[in-house]
Amino acid sequence: MPLKKHAKWLVAIVSIAGICGIAYLGTTLVEHPDSAQSDSRDALTHEHEVVPEASQAVQFDNAIKQNKFSGTVLVVKDGKPILNQGYGKTRIRSQRDNTTATKYPIASLTKNVTAVLAVKQLEAKGYSPETKVSTFYPNLPNAENITIRQLITMNAKYDTSKFVPKRLGDEKVYIDEILKHTYYNHTKTTWHYNATDYHILIGILHKVTGKSYEQLVKETFGPQYELQTLPGYANNLAKPLGSTVEGVNIPFNKSEYQKELGTGDIFTNTWGIYQLLESEIKAKIVTPQQFKAVSTPMSQYHEIYSGGLYSEDRGRAYFCRGVMQGFEDYVYMSKDGRNAVILQSNQYSVTGKNANLAKYIYGKVVGHEVVFKNY
């Protein structure tokens, strides 16, 4: 069914990093008021809503409701959205419904945004994915042997151990603090998931562009993907809250997102995620060569991760999971971009309920059981 062309404005206003990273999951009950104040740019609409009409879409809708799912689910089959619906409430005891316009943290999928920024901005300045890190940080350990692509694929073996920076307000100060405590972990013989490689990428972007991460996101992606950076999201009093499996709201903690600069601090809705990945796959926002640099794994030990995405289902699909402050995202997309399931929830499931739901729906869409590799 085609997307609805006309927005239906409601009275209430709202906005919207696991395998791909797990952040703060506190359980303190803090009920933020359902204030009427909000950012009008994130007005609650049904612009991208697709009601379930096809029999398979109705089946998915029933399964989602039976699972008492809270969040938004988008299903695309053969290049056509067959379901995009909100379920549950934005907060415990809230009267606001989750809708297709609700923006949630995309958590670790933020790394994909950062990887795209890196290849595009560096190429524009005459560099390539094979450029050595020493070009920008000659004093960083082993930098003469590490490439940009190794940072993107998390094969650089950089680490900051348990160091936690405290000065979070200024991007450059924050990255400089991290770099002072970055070391080369020669004991690592395999790929390892970490944020340090991506913080180094952001430092490099600062050097070559002279611009902040927020500026680069806005200039590079524009409004099409409905990406929201932390300042705007933090200021929207009507944003949803994540919750525990017990149904307890988790208070919004800005500093936790600030620590995830370029690794977990971007927000959007299901349609924004789909548009972003589909644009990458079909070379609408990056060249085919740039997307290959972003999405192609390079480690002989862990050959499925690159640029925020895992190559799963025997290499037939891209996959990502992200968890952040009680929010949970699951993304499956076939490598031709024609089939996708994007599940964004504001209720974290320790039992794997959300994971199983996303896997079940995607398997039905593509017509086979989804196969995972062992991590």
Side-chain angles (χ1 to χ4, degrees):
M1 176 180 177
L3 298 177
K4 290 186 174 181
K5 296 183 178 179
H6 301 289
K8 297 178 181 179
W9 296 89
L10 303 181
V11 175
I13 304 296
V14 71
S15 75
I16 340 199
I19 291 173
C20 295
I22 298 179
Y24 173 76
L25 287 172
T27 58
T28 304
L29 175 61
V30 176
E31 183 64 35
H32 291 230
D34 271 345
S35 171
Q37 298 178 11
S38 66
D39 188 334
S40 61
R41 293 171 298 179
D42 295 311
L44 184 63
T45 75
H46 292 282
E47 181 180 1
H48 302 304
E49 181 180 287
V50 180
V51 297
E53 292 185 344
S55 59
Q56 194 174 52
V58 172
Q59 177 186 358
F60 297 155
D61 182 59
N62 289 334
I64 293 165
K65 291 174 179 175
Q66 288 171 8
N67 275 269
K68 297 181 179 179
F69 174 80
S70 181
T72 307
V73 179
L74 167 66
V75 181
V76 178
K77 183 172 183 176
D78 297 327
K80 177 182 177 182
I82 63 170
L83 172 68
N84 196 20
Q85 293 278 279
Y87 302 86
K89 302 295 182 179
T90 60
R91 304 176 183 186
I92 305 300
R93 295 191 295 277
S94 171
Q95 295 304 307
R96 289 195 182 93
D97 295 328
N98 288 320
T99 75
T100 55
T102 304
K103 291 185 178 182
Y104 309 84
I106 66 171
S108 286
L109 192 57
T110 298
K111 295 176 182 69
N112 176 260
V113 172
T114 303
V116 169
L117 284 177
V119 296
K120 286 178 66 69
Q121 293 294 334
L122 289 172
E123 184 173 300
K125 299 296 183 179
Y127 303 106
S128 81
E130 303 310 315
T131 299
K132 303 293 187 182
V133 172
S134 57
T135 303
F136 315 99
Y137 292 111
N139 297 323
L140 201 63
N142 205 40
E144 69 277 8
N145 297 313
I146 303 298
T147 66
I148 296 298
R149 202 154 109 72
Q150 284 174 277
L151 296 176
I152 291 172
T153 59
M154 293 188 179
N155 283 272
K157 298 184 183 179
Y158 283 123
D159 210 338
T160 51
S161 189
K162 296 181 180 180
F163 169 70
V164 179
K166 295 181 179 180
R167 295 189 290 175
L168 302 173
D170 181 272
E171 282 189 19
K172 186 178 184 306
V173 172
Y174 175 58
I175 295 300
D176 287 347
E177 255 328 91
I178 290 174
L179 287 167
K180 288 177 183 178
H181 292 81
T182 296
Y183 63 95
Y184 178 72
N185 192 343
H186 63 87
T187 65
K188 293 286 185 182
T189 57
T190 63
W191 170 94
H192 70 291
Y193 190 86
N194 73 98
T196 306
D197 290 352
Y198 275 72
H199 287 144
I200 295 171
L201 277 177
I202 294 172
I204 291 171
L205 285 170
H206 286 168
K207 282 178 172 287
V208 301
T209 68
K211 297 178 180 179
S212 70
Y213 185 76
E214 181 182 10
Q215 286 176 295
L216 290 173
V217 169
K218 289 180 178 179
E219 293 176 9
T220 303
F221 297 99
Q224 177 180 351
Y225 310 104
E226 304 184 47
L227 302 182
Q228 189 168 39
T229 54
L230 181 57
Y233 188 82
N235 290 333
N236 190 340
L237 299 181
K239 59 185 172 291
L241 290 180
S243 65
T244 68
V245 68
E246 297 85 8
V248 178
N249 277 147
I250 295 173
F252 176 78
N253 189 327
K254 184 177 180 180
S255 66
E256 293 299 319
Y257 288 101
Q258 288 177 310
K259 293 173 186 176
E260 295 286 342
L261 174 64
T263 64
D265 62 337
I266 294 293
F267 312 82
T268 192
N269 51 41
T270 52
W271 187 247
I273 292 175
Y274 175 72
Q275 287 281 84
L276 175 65
L277 295 181
E278 193 261 356
S279 292
E280 293 178 41
I281 290 169
K282 297 188 176 179
K284 298 176 183 178
I285 192 170
V286 287
T287 66
Q289 294 76 19
Q290 288 172 338
F291 182 60
K292 184 178 180 180
V294 168
S295 62
T296 305
M298 65 181 296
S299 172
Q300 60 177 310
Y301 303 104
H302 193 89
E303 70 279 12
I304 63 175
Y305 179 87
S306 184
L309 304 173
Y310 289 81
S311 181
E312 285 288 11
D313 196 24
R314 294 196 176 100
R316 294 174 290 198
Y318 294 113
F319 167 77
C320 185
R321 177 198 182 210
V323 175
M324 195 76 176
Q325 290 191 23
F327 294 95
E328 193 169 17
D329 299 302
Y330 284 91
V331 178
Y332 288 95
M333 184 175 286
S334 59
K335 289 198 171 180
D336 61 3
R338 291 184 54 79
N339 299 296
V341 171
I342 298 172
L343 179 154
Q344 293 186 281
S345 177
N346 63 333
Q347 184 175 58
Y348 176 69
S349 172
V350 294
T351 63
K353 182 178 68 173
N354 292 334
N356 292 333
L357 181 62
K359 185 178 178 180
Y360 162 77
I361 295 174
Y362 186 74
K364 292 294 184 181
V365 168
V366 297
H368 63 257
E369 184 178 356
V370 180
V371 180
F372 275 80
K373 292 184 179 180
N374 293 323
Y375 294 100

